Amino acid sequence: MTPATWSSNRKYASWIVPLGATATRSPGHFTSTGSDLVTCVIPSGISASVKNVRTLLNYQLIPPYYLKDRLTVGKGQPARERLRTLTQPVDYNNTAAKGGKISVASAATAVR
């Protein structure tokens, strides 16, 4: 989703435009409301037996393998050292972010 200050008219806007999202399919991406519409379709083969639906929205952190890869290239470069300084002391093991994701929201409803 775009931040509240995003505008397609601003410099470098094309660098951060949501890919694969259109204003018709995902209006929240372009209204800067911080919202989006998610549609879940239950396959017809199992729909008759579904009584409840629960969804969970996660935020993905930088995956450990990706971070490790970034820290193995560019030795001696200032950007790499900044990244190391920011991320090395962080230990997510005993936090809600363990596993590289944080649960942001959830919803449940009975199917009619």
Side-chain angles (χ1 to χ4, degrees):
M1 292 177 275
T2 56
T5 57
W6 186 84
S7 168
S8 61
N9 299 323
R10 294 183 71 169
K11 188 175 181 179
Y12 307 120
S14 64
W15 293 12
I16 60 168
V17 67
L19 298 176
T22 64
T24 304
R25 289 180 50 217
S26 299
H29 273 85
F30 298 93
T31 59
S32 299
T33 60
S35 64
D36 193 14
L37 176 65
V38 177
T39 303
C40 300
V41 178
I42 300 170
S44 59
I46 64 167
S47 62
S49 63
V50 175
K51 306 225 183 317
N52 295 291
V53 176
R54 179 175 175 250
T55 60
L56 179 63
L57 176 65
N58 290 320
Y59 175 81
Q60 181 179 347
L61 305 171
I62 299 174
Y65 69 86
Y66 180 86
L67 187 56
K68 182 179 178 184
D69 184 55
R70 301 287 78 76
L71 294 173
T72 59
V73 297
K75 291 185 179 183
Q77 296 297 315
R80 177 186 169 222
E81 297 312 314
R82 281 192 301 274
L83 181 62
R84 181 182 302 285
T85 300
L86 290 169
T87 60
Q88 196 170 31
V90 179
D91 179 9
Y92 293 112
N93 286 323
N94 294 316
T95 71
K98 182 178 180 180
K101 65 182 178 181
I102 297 174
S103 294
V104 177
S106 65
T109 188
V111 177
R112 297 181 209 140

